[in-house]
Amino acid sequence: MKKGLLIILSGPSGVGKGTVREELFKDETLNLAYSISMTTRKPRPNEREGKDYFFVEEDDFKDKIQKGELLEYAQFVGNYYGTPKFYVEQLLDEGKNVVLEIEVQGALQVMEKCPQALTIFLVPPSFEELERRIRGRRTETEDVVKQRLDKARKELATKDEYKYVVENDDVIKAKNRIAEIIKENV
Ligand code: 5GP
C-alpha cells in the first residue's frame, strides 16, 4: 500500500489552525488522520482526553522524551507539547494522510527529520486580528495572553521555512486552499 503523506499544519497560536483542521476533516476525499498530541497543559473546559490531547504530567512527558517516543516536542508558554511517534508511523503505513497541527519549533524538527513532509503555515489577515482572536478565547490570564502574542510575533517570522503559506481570513477559503494543496501533493 502507498504510504500516506505527512502534513504539517503550523502557524501562530490563535490563527485558527484547529478550526481550519476541523473543516478539512469533514472532507473525506482527503483521507486524513489527526495525530493527537501529548501535552502537560491542563485541559480547557471543552477539551477531552484522547480527542484533543493526551494530557500528562511533566514527569511522564520527560519519560517519553528520554525513551525517544516523540517525533518532535517543544516547550510552549510554560508547557510541553509533543507528537507520539508510534501512532503517526502506523497511520502513514495504513496509507492515511496524517495531519500534525503543531507550533513552529516542533514543525522545524519534523522538517529536518522528514524533508518530504508537506508543510503549510497559516497566517492571520493582520496581527491585530490575531490579538483579537487570542483574547476572544477568554480562557487565559493577561500574562499568558501577552506571552502568546510575543511568541506569535516570533513564529510569524518563520513562515518562509514552509512550502506553502495560506492566509486564514475566512475558514472555508483557507480550508479549500489547503485541500487543493493536499490534492496536488498526494
Ligand atoms: P494550545 O495550548 O493552544 O492547545 O497549543 C499551543 C500551541 O502548541 C499551538 O500552536 C498548537 O498548535 C501547538 N501544539 C499542539 N500540539 C503540539 C505538538 O504535539 N507539538 C508541538 N510542537 N506543538 C503542538
Side-chain angles (χ1 to χ4, degrees), residues 17 37 41 44 53 72 74 76 81-83 101-103 106 148:
K17 298 192 285 292
S37 296
R41 171 167 73 61
R44 296 186 182 125
Y53 282 109
E72 59 72 36
F76 184 92
Y81 296 81
T83 303
E101 185 199 309
I102 59 179
E103 56 69 69
R148 280 185 183 255

Side-chain angles (χ1 to χ4, degrees), residues 124-164:
S126 66
F127 197 81
E128 290 66 35
E129 174 59 17
L130 188 71
E131 175 162 0
R132 203 183 61 73
R133 290 181 196 173
I134 291 178
R135 290 191 182 280
R137 235 182 227 160
R138 293 178 193 282
T139 51
E140 275 129 0
T141 60
E142 179 62 21
D143 189 40
V144 171
V145 167
K146 286 223 169 81
Q147 289 182 56
R148 280 185 183 255
L149 287 171
D150 184 44
K151 187 96 182 170
R153 263 190 208 96
K154 292 179 184 138
E155 292 190 318
L156 281 167
T158 69
K159 70 179 193 314
D160 294 340
E161 303 290 328
Y162 294 76
K163 293 180 183 161
Y164 296 88

Side-chain angles (χ1 to χ4, degrees), residues 35-41 52-57 60-62 64 69-70 72-74 80-84:
S35 156
I36 300 164
S37 296
M38 192 168 279
T39 184
T40 59
R41 171 167 73 61
D52 300 286
Y53 282 109
F54 296 110
F55 296 97
V56 297
E57 297 299 326
D60 294 334
F61 196 100
K62 288 186 171 159
K64 301 278 178 205
E69 291 179 16
L70 301 177
E72 59 72 36
Y73 70 93
Y80 282 100
Y81 296 81
T83 303

